[in-house]
Amino acid sequence: MKDLKNRNELIQSVAMLTKQEAAEALGVSPLQVDKMRQCGLLKPTKTGQGWRFSQEELRDFQRDLRGVDVSNEKMMIAALCRRT
């Protein structure tokens, strides 16, 4: 039973998120997630079902851009320059 719990926790920890789930996790709209992807702030993986976002990518985004204004495309581009 413990092995099954560990397996389920592992699967949950590496699960890829949809654009909608990523938006909910970040507290923004799916459109904002699209803009952040297009600007290069988020680096998802393209699958047959659309873009998928790793939980690690979202954590990195939150850590690296804590306190940075990414409310519009101009600010996103400035943030991208700061991040790299």
Side-chain angles (χ1 to χ4, degrees), residues 16-17 37 42-46 51-54 57:
M16 300 290 279
L17 304 177
R37 177 187 57 79
L42 291 175
K43 298 174 186 92
T45 301
K46 179 74 168 160
W51 293 102
R52 294 289 187 252
F53 299 83
S54 73
E57 172 66 21

Side-chain angles (χ1 to χ4, degrees), residues 17-30 33 58 62:
L17 304 177
T18 65
K19 176 175 59 174
Q20 180 66 39
E21 292 167 332
E24 290 172 13
L26 295 173
V28 299
S29 71
V33 169
L58 297 181
Q62 290 174 316

Side-chain angles (χ1 to χ4, degrees):
M1 194 61 121
K2 184 177 180 181
D3 288 338
L4 181 59
K5 181 181 177 188
N6 289 342
R7 182 175 179 266
N8 289 339
E9 287 175 359
L10 175 63
I11 290 170
Q12 281 295 93
S13 71
V14 297
M16 300 290 279
L17 304 177
T18 65
K19 176 175 59 174
Q20 180 66 39
E21 292 167 332
E24 290 172 13
L26 295 173
V28 299
S29 71
L31 178 61
Q32 190 76 355
V33 169
D34 271 338
K35 289 180 180 179
M36 288 189 275
R37 177 187 57 79
Q38 291 165 356
C39 286
L41 285 176
L42 291 175
K43 298 174 186 92
T45 301
K46 179 74 168 160
T47 68
Q49 302 172 8
W51 293 102
R52 294 289 187 252
F53 299 83
S54 73
Q55 294 176 50
E56 181 179 6
E57 172 66 21
L58 297 181
R59 282 191 294 273
D60 290 348
F61 171 83
Q62 290 174 316
R63 183 196 64 236
D64 295 348
L65 297 169
R66 174 179 279 145
V68 176
D69 182 357
V70 292
S71 59
N72 61 54
E73 290 180 48
K74 182 178 178 183
M75 300 303 283
M76 287 180 208
I77 292 168
L80 179 60
C81 292
R82 182 183 299 179
R83 190 176 190 194
T84 56

